[in-house]
Amino acid sequence: MRRRSSAIALPAVVALVAMLTGACGIPDDTGVTVAGPGPSTGTSSNDAHGGTEVTRESASIDPVLFVQNYYLKAAAGDLDSAAARLRKFMTKEAARQFKPSGNELSVIRLVDKPLNTPGSDVVELTYERVGTLDKFGLLEPATETRQDTYKIKVGHVAGENGLFVTEAPPALLIDDRALNDFYEEQTIYFWNTDYTWLVPDVRYMPLAVPTEQRPTTVLNWLVNGPAPWLSVSDLADGTTLIGKVVEVSDNKYRITLSTQALPATETAEALDRLRRQLQWSLRPLLPDAELVLTVGHQDAGSYSDEDYLNSNRVARMPAEPEQFVVYGGRIRRLSETPSAVSQPPVLEPEENKGIRSAAMSASVTHNFAAVVSHGKADSLRVAAAPTGSRAALQPVGDLPGTLGEPAWAITRNGSAGGAIGLITGGGKLYSFAPGKGAAHQIPWTGQGTNITAVAVAPDGRRVALVVDGKLYRAALNTSGDTPSLGTPQQIRPADLRSVSAVGFNSEGWLTVAGVRSADKRVTIVDVSIDGALQSGRLSDLGDKPVDSLSVYPANPMESNPSSGRAYTRFVSYSFDGKAWEALSRPTLIGVDRLAGPNPSGSPAGNTVPTAPFYLD
Amino acid sequence: MRAPAWLPLPVRRVLRVARRSWRVVAVRLERYTAPVRRSWRRSLQVRVVTLTLLASSLLVGTFGWFVAAQSAKILLNRAQDEVSASLERKVVWASQQLTVHPQAYDPELPATISETVNELYDGDQAGDSGTVVSIRAQHYPELEPQTVPAVDTGQLITPAMIRSVADDAQVAQQIRTVGINGRQTKFLVYGSPVPAKFGHVELYYAVPLTTEDRAANQIRTTVLVTGLALVILLGVVAGLVTRLVVTPVRVAARTAQRLSAGLLDQRMKVEGEDDLALLAAAFNQMAANLQRQIVRLEEMSRLQRRFTSDVSHELRTPLTTVRMAADLIFSEREEFDPAVARSAELLQAELDRFEDLLTDLLEISRFDAGFAALDAEHTDLVPIVRRVADRLTGLAERVGVELELHLPDSPVIAEVDPRRVERVLRNLVGNAVEHGEARPVQITMATDDAAVAITVRDHGIGLKAGEERLVFNRFWRADPSRARQTGGTGLGLSISAEDARLHGGWLEAWGAPGEGAQFRLTLPVRAGDRLVAAPLPLIPLDRTAEVS
């Protein structure tokens, strides 16, 4: 009996102890358990990453070409690794001593070919500064212009092929050609302070950035804020990009922003503005893509419609502009332009006389006109009327005797009030409203005294001015009682010694008329808004100055997808008392192009159309 | 048990030491467990309680283990599901972040990995703290592993895990207990490859199992405590129930013991109407019946003894008259003719026998009636033996038997009734002489501190097997054919046995056919002492020598 029960009890007790102490509970360590196969690996996009980098091994062995074509291009691309790329061109000693000042690229323009005395190891660069390019792709124009020289020593290294830089100036140098070749114009947008239109901010995207990273880069630029010279609304304070802009599925991209991106109140409006800003900024990179916007941990919305396009004023302007000239003191339409058979808008027909120059602008609901008449003294009259109706011209007072070309800066939808026009007069800049009243002088804080021309960008917040024959850009600030200008920045078109007229060619480019330095001939060129890049439009107009330029800005939707640039087809100008159009060559606008019958009592035969302008 | 000889000496020595110590331990164990084993043997309650405890421990233990293991498994599964789902989201996110990098040598990639790890960790903080997120690129050594928070993951992420995730591209999991920030923490580590355009990196996500572990431990403790309480409760219940049964049984046993000791009026208490009450009632019934029978038998026995005594007394009066007449006739027998004289002699002899028989019957009935009383005094037994021998010398010489006395030289003092001892010895020696077959009879006496023994040895026809006890029966004769040849009444040995018993002593017989017989009387030196051993053997020494 005893023996049998102990035989049962012993294993029972052992099992009990083992079970209670060991087997239950969560184990301290286990082996590796495979839970399933991992997600499948993606494939790499074929990317031109390698092709955008200049390497020493491929460089020329001619010292001048070596410096000009290779060394001055090597820093282009990713800014963080620019110094490293330059060091690859240097001997070890030079690389060790190379301490670039500042963390921005210094963009220079070579005034002459680099000089190298045969037998010498020094390559001498004569240059002028264009500006600095920071890591947000922003080119800040140089504040001063003076020619300077860099001396770059090149030499051979035993056992290595090709040339090496043995002594380099302590700067991350690229020349303007590298800017043109290795960067792409990338416009980002910020809302103006009234939240009526988006204001473009031109940046330069390195081609070395893989296409996958470009949306992220753009978002980082946006988060960093607008260019200092612009007077626009920044993103909400504290807004940051979380993670990257990634393609979550086919052509569907997700942007995650921190919760600070949206205010606690009026969230819907802020969100709508934010998404339009993002859609515009990303439009060239992600055409027809669906954007999924996540703020914090909440999905804010998904956007694929094209309704955002109407937030940029220039995109809403008709493709073909209504074009006018002044003929015999009257505003006349040109034939083969839209609405050519109608009377000019706004003006009462009987008031359409004695006019020297005019400017017209249209909002969705209203048309605006400003006309300069000449009598004993110049006078400015304005009118504003709903689209299709007319209004009487109202005089604007407090203006000096001689007036330049007027321009409408700001026009609003819904009412005529709040519109702002600009005009130069007596070397000063004035603003006027679309009704009877006095003009206000806008103080000029820049260098120079004699303001001779003004042009306003379609967004209404950026202006270009000609002061003492020099070109300036400035932001138009409308938040005060009277409009004012931000700090002007001088823009230096490369070839022009003086400027006489200016107009906005596109979001990022100006069309400028001036005198060429080399041969003192008058020319019309397109200049990027920072003055770094330019391209010719009309090379030689003779030696008389262009009186005024009228440019109908190009639609950004039609920009060249590879360069990001848009060129307008509509440039006309007053030259030598006649109206011209800049086609492939200067083309005179003759009487034969006037629309409609010539009214009775037509001017004398020597009267020609003058002062061409567009309804913009 | 000795170690085989072929083993080397040191081994055998060690084995010997081990064997010795084992023996010592076994003996100790034996000694210490003795009380336990004794209670196991003796107590039904102990057995029932022990077995109940063992059985319920096994049952509760198995059940508790099952519950605890199952709840731990459920907790772990839940944690695994959560972590797995979270990992899946993290992998999707990280993978999307990495899609912007077409090549592993992209200089922005380390920054992206670092940001991603931080973001994944940030996204986790609202839920639970203590998680560790790490991204490694095993196949791209130039990419540094990024871990948030910055802890050493050498213990957390094992090489086997890395192999499974990085080389085999599997989602893998492991539980690891590692010290982080000086605290041992149990982690559930999940690893998954994160696809990128250039291949894949690996995301490891470690979540502390502190909550689950604590819950599992709590469940285990609860189950353990509950189980223990249950087992103890069952033991107590079993003890109580057994006690309910065992107590009446013990009472019955005690009552039965008392009954058997002669306390015939002992009864059990009958309470209630249950089985135990039935048992008590039946027991009482049995006791009552037994008592009745015993009393009846005693009464009958008493009547018989009374009858014998009365008859003896009643016979003595006429016998006395007859005796007086017979004595007269006997004294005058010379004057009768020889035939009548012969009859007078016969009458006288038979009257002597009749008188002896009556005396013995009266003595026996006195014993039976319990009237016999020991009149003990300190007496030297040697003169008594000599006296008996002297008195029987005449008879012995007549039948040609020689009496040999082997007595101690010093007096043998014992607290005895000398009259009864002398009667016993006379009886024994008389019998020996009578059955001695003309061979010598030895009378031997010996003593020690506690007892005195006297043996009487004859070499007559002896006793057959089984007759050693029969000789003490009343009116028993060894050979019925020899009846009445000798003058014994047939009650002598019975009376002697009663005398010995009255002293607290023994009277025993030994005999073998043809080898004679030996009787031994053993008496305590002090009256009332309990006899343990006799100074002389029952079987005679010569006989012992022959046998051996």
Side-chain angles (χ1 to χ4, degrees):
Chain A
M1 175 70 188
R2 181 179 156 269
R3 191 160 288 278
R4 199 171 56 214
S5 53
S6 73
I8 296 171
L10 192 68
V13 168
V14 168
L16 197 70
V17 169
M19 284 188 294
L20 286 180
T21 54
C24 42
I26 297 170
D28 281 350
D29 289 291
T30 64
V32 175
T33 314
V34 170
S40 57
T41 301
T43 50
S44 182
S45 67
N46 76 21
D47 193 81
H49 185 75
T52 56
E53 208 173 288
V54 174
T55 57
R56 190 195 65 80
E57 288 72 16
S58 63
S60 166
I61 54 165
D62 176 63
V64 171
L65 295 178
F66 174 77
V67 169
Q68 188 180 8
N69 291 347
Y70 295 92
Y71 185 72
L72 290 182
K73 290 177 167 50
D78 176 51
L79 186 58
D80 292 331
S81 55
R85 286 198 297 277
L86 286 183
R87 284 195 179 96
K88 286 184 186 168
F89 279 74
M90 300 177 189
T91 59
K92 280 180 184 157
E93 177 63 16
R96 197 172 52 75
Q97 290 181 344
F98 181 65
K99 300 270 191 305
S101 59
N103 52 358
E104 295 155 331
L105 290 183
S106 187
V107 184
I108 60 171
R109 182 183 294 130
L110 294 182
V111 177
D112 276 319
K113 255 179 77 92
L115 301 176
N116 173 240
T117 311
S120 161
D121 58 354
V122 176
V123 177
E124 198 173 302
L125 304 176
T126 305
Y127 71 95
E128 57 184 23
R129 281 182 202 283
V130 173
T132 55
L133 183 64
D134 68 11
K135 63 174 177 173
F136 300 106
L138 181 66
L139 184 71
E140 191 70 10
T143 50
E144 57 181 15
T145 173
R146 72 189 154 83
Q147 295 194 353
D148 210 337
T149 55
Y150 277 131
K151 288 190 168 65
I152 296 177
K153 283 188 184 169
V154 296
H156 292 275
V157 169
E160 300 267 3
N161 291 327
L163 289 171
F164 283 86
V165 172
T166 56
E167 195 180 314
L172 302 172
L173 292 177
I174 61 168
D175 66 357
D176 54 347
R177 294 188 305 153
L179 181 69
N180 190 51
D181 294 345
F182 292 96
Y183 290 85
E184 183 179 298
E185 201 176 306
Q186 171 79 44
T187 309
I188 61 175
Y189 295 83
F190 290 91
W191 283 96
N192 63 30
T193 48
D194 298 334
Y195 299 120
T196 49
W197 301 111
L198 286 168
V199 178
D201 183 0
V202 176
R203 307 290 176 103
Y204 293 92
M205 173 73 79
L207 293 175
V209 175
T211 49
E212 294 94 335
Q213 289 173 28
R214 291 184 187 181
T216 308
T217 308
V218 165
L219 257 291
N220 282 330
W221 292 348
L222 283 170
V223 165
N224 181 253
W229 72 280
L230 293 175
S231 172
V232 290
S233 301
D234 198 354
L235 293 182
D237 271 355
T239 304
T240 53
L241 175 67
I242 295 171
K244 308 282 179 188
V245 179
V246 293
E247 185 171 13
V248 288
S249 61
D250 192 31
N251 212 21
K252 185 172 174 182
Y253 290 81
R254 188 176 58 214
I255 301 166
T256 309
L257 296 174
S258 60
T259 45
Q260 290 92 335
L262 290 178
T265 55
E266 297 181 348
T267 312
E269 292 86 344
L271 176 62
D272 189 56
R273 284 199 299 269
L274 179 64
R275 66 103 177 171
R276 285 166 184 270
Q277 180 179 4
L278 296 180
Q279 279 179 297
W280 261 107
S281 299
L282 293 172
R283 188 187 56 83
L285 297 173
L286 310 174
D288 305 323
E290 180 179 356
L291 293 188
V292 178
L293 185 59
T294 306
V295 176
H297 292 287
Q298 265 186 318
D299 274 356
S302 171
Y303 308 101
S304 56
D305 296 342
E306 297 211 326
D307 59 345
Y308 71 94
L309 292 175
N310 63 15
S311 295
N312 189 351
R313 182 166 181 265
V314 70
R316 292 186 53 166
M317 290 161 67
E320 298 286 327
E322 295 179 34
Q323 198 173 351
F324 307 90
V325 291
V326 175
Y327 176 71
R330 291 167 192 264
I331 294 173
R332 295 286 297 270
R333 289 183 184 271
L334 295 187
S335 61
E336 295 165 15
T337 60
S339 309
V341 294
S342 313
Q343 286 286 327
V346 186
L347 294 184
E348 300 285 358
E350 57 272 23
E351 286 187 315
N352 188 3
K353 60 185 180 188
I355 293 169
R356 195 194 76 204
S357 64
M360 286 189 178
S361 184
S363 71
V364 176
T365 56
H366 284 70
N367 288 336
F368 301 84
V371 297
V372 175
S373 311
H374 60 100
K376 292 195 292 293
D378 291 344
S379 67
L380 174 68
R381 289 175 298 163
V382 295
T387 308
S389 54
R390 300 178 187 281
L393 288 169
Q394 310 281 342
V396 175
D398 289 353
L399 283 168
T402 40
L403 294 175
E405 307 292 322
W408 284 104
I410 292 167
T411 56
R412 295 183 191 279
N413 296 331
S415 83
I420 296 172
L422 299 178
I423 190 167
T424 56
K428 304 281 190 289
L429 181 66
Y430 294 88
S431 70
F432 57 88
K436 188 173 183 179
H440 297 280
Q441 189 191 340
I442 298 175
W444 172 248
T445 56
Q447 292 178 329
T449 52
N450 187 22
I451 303 174
T452 54
V454 62
V456 186
D459 52 79
R461 306 293 163 146
R462 299 178 298 163
V463 294
L465 303 113
V466 177
V467 184
D468 290 347
K470 295 191 175 99
L471 184 60
Y472 289 86
R473 69 177 186 186
L476 181 64
N477 197 340
T478 60
S479 54
D481 291 341
T482 56
S484 60
L485 289 181
T487 309
Q489 283 182 323
Q490 191 184 349
I491 299 168
R492 299 185 181 85
D495 296 342
L496 301 183
R497 60 190 301 170
S498 70
V499 173
S500 61
V502 65
F504 272 85
N505 173 347
S506 64
E507 290 182 319
W509 286 69
L510 303 171
T511 299
V512 179
V515 180
R516 191 158 42 218
S517 322
D519 49 11
K520 298 182 183 170
R521 299 292 281 185
V522 170
T523 181
I524 294 179
V525 293
D526 291 341
V527 179
S528 65
I529 192 139
D530 41 42
L533 304 174
Q534 74 177 53
S535 69
R537 190 171 277 272
L538 295 177
S539 63
D540 191 357
L541 300 181
D543 50 6
K544 291 184 180 156
V546 172
D547 300 323
S548 70
L549 264 175
S550 182
V551 186
Y552 187 77
N555 192 330
M557 315 275 290
E558 287 158 12
S559 59
N560 182 341
S562 65
S563 67
R565 296 175 197 169
Y567 294 101
T568 181
R569 297 180 287 126
F570 305 101
V571 176
S572 52
Y573 58 97
S574 292
F575 175 72
D576 194 21
K578 300 188 181 82
W580 298 77
E581 196 166 10
L583 301 179
S584 60
R585 58 186 189 82
T587 308
L588 190 65
I589 301 176
V591 179
D592 54 324
R593 285 198 59 201
L594 295 178
N598 279 329
S600 59
S602 60
N606 61 350
T607 305
V608 291
T610 58
F613 68 95
Y614 302 93
L615 175 69
D616 58 9
Chain B
M1 279 301 283
R2 292 181 71 82
W6 49 265
L7 279 173
L9 191 64
V11 173
R12 274 187 286 166
R13 197 168 291 159
V14 169
L15 281 176
R16 198 180 308 142
V17 170
R19 204 161 56 231
R20 272 183 206 152
S21 3
W22 165 246
R23 256 183 232 147
V24 168
V25 169
V27 166
R28 288 246 172 103
L29 211 65
E30 192 97 345
R31 193 181 308 151
Y32 286 129
T33 57
V36 177
R37 284 183 286 139
R38 193 164 51 241
S39 16
W40 174 264
R41 275 199 313 276
R42 290 189 178 172
S43 173
L44 180 65
Q45 196 169 8
V46 167
R47 276 207 299 275
V48 168
V49 169
T50 311
L51 287 177
T52 308
L53 284 178
L54 285 176
S56 57
S57 300
L58 191 65
L59 200 72
V60 168
T62 311
F63 183 69
W65 173 80
F66 179 73
V67 167
Q70 204 62 22
S71 16
K73 201 171 152 195
I74 289 168
L75 284 168
L76 188 60
N77 281 348
R78 228 192 68 205
Q80 280 171 345
D81 289 348
E82 273 177 20
V83 175
S84 172
S86 175
L87 178 81
E88 215 166 289
R89 290 195 297 273
K90 285 181 193 318
V91 166
V92 168
W93 165 271
S95 171
Q96 287 171 355
Q97 297 302 307
L98 291 178
T99 52
V100 303
H101 296 289
Q103 300 299 342
Y105 53 74
D106 192 329
E108 294 291 322
L109 184 54
T112 303
I113 289 177
S114 176
E115 279 168 24
T116 306
V117 169
N118 267 301
E119 185 56 36
L120 291 179
Y121 182 73
D122 286 347
D124 223 41
Q125 283 321 287
D128 192 10
S129 61
T131 57
V132 176
V133 182
S134 180
I135 289 185
R136 286 159 173 266
Q138 193 68 14
H139 296 160
Y140 307 98
E142 67 275 11
L143 296 175
E144 291 279 313
Q146 298 283 345
T147 305
V148 176
V151 294
D152 178 26
T153 57
Q155 294 289 313
L156 201 58
I157 302 168
T158 57
M161 183 85 168
I162 292 173
R163 206 160 39 245
S164 196
V165 176
D167 300 343
D168 305 342
Q170 302 284 330
V171 178
Q173 62 151 95
Q174 191 177 18
I175 295 175
R176 295 286 296 160
T177 302
V178 296
I180 284 192
N181 300 331
R183 269 181 50 205
Q184 287 292 117
T185 314
K186 199 178 283 187
F187 279 97
L188 177 59
V189 187
Y190 259 85
S192 170
V194 177
K197 288 188 172 173
F198 51 83
H200 68 75
V201 299
E202 299 87 50
L203 172 68
Y204 297 96
Y205 181 40
V207 176
L209 288 175
T210 322
T211 323
E212 286 77 7
D213 204 27
R214 201 184 302 134
N217 281 341
Q218 277 170 355
I219 290 173
R220 189 171 55 185
T221 311
T222 311
V223 166
L224 192 65
V225 168
T226 317
L228 217 60
L230 200 65
V231 167
I232 291 171
L233 196 72
L234 278 172
V236 169
V237 166
L240 285 176
V241 168
T242 320
R243 191 193 163 107
L244 221 60
V245 176
V246 162
T247 309
V249 170
R250 279 186 187 157
V251 169
R254 213 161 32 237
T255 314
Q257 270 169 2
R258 288 204 192 114
L259 267 177
S260 69
L263 299 168
L264 293 177
D265 53 351
Q266 287 287 319
R267 292 292 182 275
M268 284 180 71
K269 207 184 280 178
V270 180
E271 280 173 322
E273 300 174 1
D274 57 5
D275 299 334
L276 291 167
L278 201 64
L279 170 70
F283 184 91
N284 287 348
Q285 183 76 38
M286 182 191 74
N289 286 345
L290 272 178
Q291 189 182 22
R292 198 159 52 243
Q293 286 292 336
I294 288 168
V295 167
R296 201 164 62 88
L297 288 173
E298 273 182 349
E299 184 67 14
M300 278 170 63
S301 166
R302 202 178 54 80
L303 280 175
Q304 257 180 349
R305 286 197 302 269
R306 179 72 181 272
F307 178 73
T308 311
S309 169
D310 288 354
V311 166
S312 307
H313 276 287
E314 292 304 321
L315 283 176
R316 190 166 277 277
T317 314
L319 181 63
T320 311
T321 313
V322 171
R323 179 83 204 191
M324 283 164 62
D327 283 348
L328 189 65
I329 293 169
F330 186 75
S331 61
E332 297 293 328
R333 72 181 183 274
E334 306 290 334
E335 298 162 18
F336 302 148
D337 65 78
V340 176
R342 176 71 191 147
S343 295
E345 283 172 5
L346 272 175
L347 176 67
Q348 186 70 8
E350 286 306 311
L351 276 174
D352 283 348
R353 262 178 62 90
F354 194 17
E355 224 169 29
D356 287 347
L357 190 60
L358 270 181
T359 308
D360 283 357
L361 274 174
L362 275 172
E363 189 66 30
I364 279 287
S365 63
R366 205 172 292 127
F367 278 115
D368 286 347
F371 293 148
L374 190 67
D375 194 7
E377 58 188 54
H378 291 279
T379 311
D380 186 2
L381 290 175
V382 176
I384 293 178
V385 176
R386 286 191 191 286
R387 194 159 59 237
V388 168
D390 287 346
R391 284 205 190 145
L392 288 173
T393 306
L395 177 64
E397 282 171 356
R398 238 182 354 260
V399 296
V401 167
E402 188 189 347
L403 291 177
E404 295 173 13
L405 294 182
H406 305 278
L407 302 176
D409 298 332
S410 55
V412 177
I413 308 295
E415 204 178 348
V416 296
D417 186 340
R419 189 180 56 86
R420 287 179 193 277
V421 171
E422 190 176 335
R423 184 165 68 188
V424 172
L425 288 176
R426 197 167 58 233
N427 212 326
L428 293 179
V429 177
N431 274 344
V433 169
E434 202 171 317
H435 301 286
E437 307 260 320
R439 295 198 186 109
V441 169
Q442 288 102 17
I443 303 167
T444 313
M445 179 159 73
T447 182
D448 60 18
D449 288 347
V452 181
I454 302 161
T455 56
V456 179
R457 170 85 164 104
D458 68 65
H459 296 86
I461 54 165
L463 294 171
K464 297 196 193 81
E467 289 181 345
E468 295 90 346
R469 293 184 185 283
L470 294 175
V471 293
F472 298 106
N473 284 1
R474 293 173 189 181
F475 302 112
W476 183 84
R477 287 186 185 277
D479 184 1
S481 63
R482 287 185 358 160
R484 304 290 175 261
Q485 199 178 18
T486 52
T489 59
L491 290 170
L493 281 175
S494 300
I495 292 169
S496 300
E498 293 291 346
D499 278 334
R501 196 176 300 136
L502 198 63
H503 278 93
W506 303 330
L507 182 59
E508 295 144 299
W510 169 86
E515 295 181 39
Q518 170 158 297
F519 285 81
R520 181 180 70 178
L521 172 68
T522 316
L523 298 171
V525 171
R526 285 167 294 275
D529 277 6
R530 189 183 159 90
L531 275 183
V532 177
L536 287 174
L538 177 60
I539 300 168
L541 290 173
D542 49 0
R543 162 70 188 176
T544 316
E546 278 172 32
V547 169
S548 63

